[in-house]
Amino acid sequence: MYKCVIFDMDGTLADTSPGILASHRYAHKMMGQPAPEECVLRKVIGGPLLQTYQERFGFAEPEKAVAFYRQYYAEQGIHAASLYPGIADALRELYARGVLLGVATLKADRFVKQMLWDMGVFDCFSAIYGMDEKDGRTKAQLIQMCMSQLGTSAEETVLVGDSIHDMEGAEACGISFLGVTYGFGFSEQEEKGKFQMCSTPAEIVEKLEVLYRG
């Protein structure tokens, strides 16, 4: 088993989509733009907000859109999330085995810590890092921050995530990656064969053992 397992948040630990989608719609409304269809919004879940509003949605003032998003999320979106069935059990199993657990997410740092506390799994994690107020952190930097705090090497660490942002962050850090298909980013059909995949949270512990053994 790996010494350290770092999890993504959105689409990996929790279904945060209701709050995220509503926050995106609010931001578009306040920016005077029609909100894209839900299928479009779902594809950007888990990505960097500033980059999303600047490059994907083409806002001239992306910082302003991010501020509107986070205003709504802080007031309402943060409460519209739930752990995926089986995640709490997987976390407790890993924790009981002495594995160091972390969270590296592009969600705002203040939001993810509050949400993990509210969902009853905050105590499982020894390192939790999210996006800073200036939107200046990358996925790779967040992963490195977790590893630094936990004192683990790349060979001892794996990232569990549901999106291309997670996979690229893991690759940039030189650590292993385990994908999940129950979230927002990957499907088994699209990514089959590229790396180990889990279709349910219950499979995570088993697949981590297989991945570690190679």
Side-chain angles (χ1 to χ4, degrees):
M1 182 61 69
Y2 288 93
K3 181 178 179 180
C4 174
V5 180
I6 301 174
F7 287 85
D8 171 54
M9 176 68 170
D10 300 321
T12 303
L13 289 175
D15 181 359
T16 54
S17 58
I20 290 175
L21 296 174
S23 299
H24 275 309
R25 294 186 181 108
Y26 178 78
H28 277 80
K29 176 182 177 181
M30 297 304 292
M31 295 294 288
Q33 298 292 332
E37 295 182 1
E38 182 171 322
C39 61
V40 175
L41 292 177
R42 282 188 171 274
K43 290 181 179 179
V44 302
I45 293 178
L49 278 177
L50 188 61
Q51 180 181 336
T52 295
Y53 282 125
Q54 185 172 28
E55 299 179 8
R56 181 66 178 83
F57 297 136
F59 286 123
E61 299 178 282
E63 297 87 354
K64 192 174 180 181
V66 171
F68 282 130
Y69 174 99
R70 289 194 173 138
Q71 173 192 340
Y72 186 93
Y73 200 85
E75 296 172 357
Q76 300 188 53
I78 195 172
H79 305 296
S82 59
L83 293 176
Y84 285 108
I87 275 291
D89 290 338
L91 294 174
R92 299 294 181 191
E93 174 65 21
L94 292 169
Y95 184 83
R97 295 188 185 195
V99 178
L100 297 173
L101 302 180
V103 176
T105 173
L106 295 173
K107 182 182 291 299
D109 191 82
R110 60 193 173 101
F111 293 153
V112 65
K113 290 176 179 176
Q114 182 63 54
M115 295 170 78
L116 290 172
W117 179 269
D118 291 343
M119 290 187 286
V121 293
F122 182 89
D123 62 310
C124 291
F125 301 101
S126 300
I128 301 172
Y129 288 99
M131 184 60 76
D132 60 332
E133 293 299 323
K134 296 182 180 180
D135 288 276
R137 296 172 178 170
T138 66
K139 192 75 178 191
Q141 288 173 330
L142 292 163
I143 294 169
Q144 290 286 3
M145 291 165 74
C146 284
M147 292 170 61
S148 178
Q149 180 172 330
L150 298 175
T152 57
S153 66
E155 293 76 18
E156 300 170 318
T157 306
V158 59
L159 178 73
V160 181
D162 76 307
S163 76
I164 189 68
H165 304 289
D166 301 322
M167 182 183 69
E168 291 176 346
E171 289 180 345
C173 295
I175 66 174
S176 299
F177 179 70
L178 176 64
V180 301
T181 60
Y182 56 78
F184 310 128
F186 293 140
S187 72
E188 287 192 79
Q189 291 73 29
E190 293 170 340
E191 306 299 330
K192 187 175 182 181
K194 291 185 179 180
F195 39 74
Q196 286 287 333
M197 302 288 284
C198 295
S199 59
T200 67
E203 295 181 21
I204 290 175
V205 177
E206 175 187 348
K207 288 293 179 68
L208 284 174
E209 292 177 331
V210 172
L211 180 62
Y212 190 67
R213 290 197 302 266

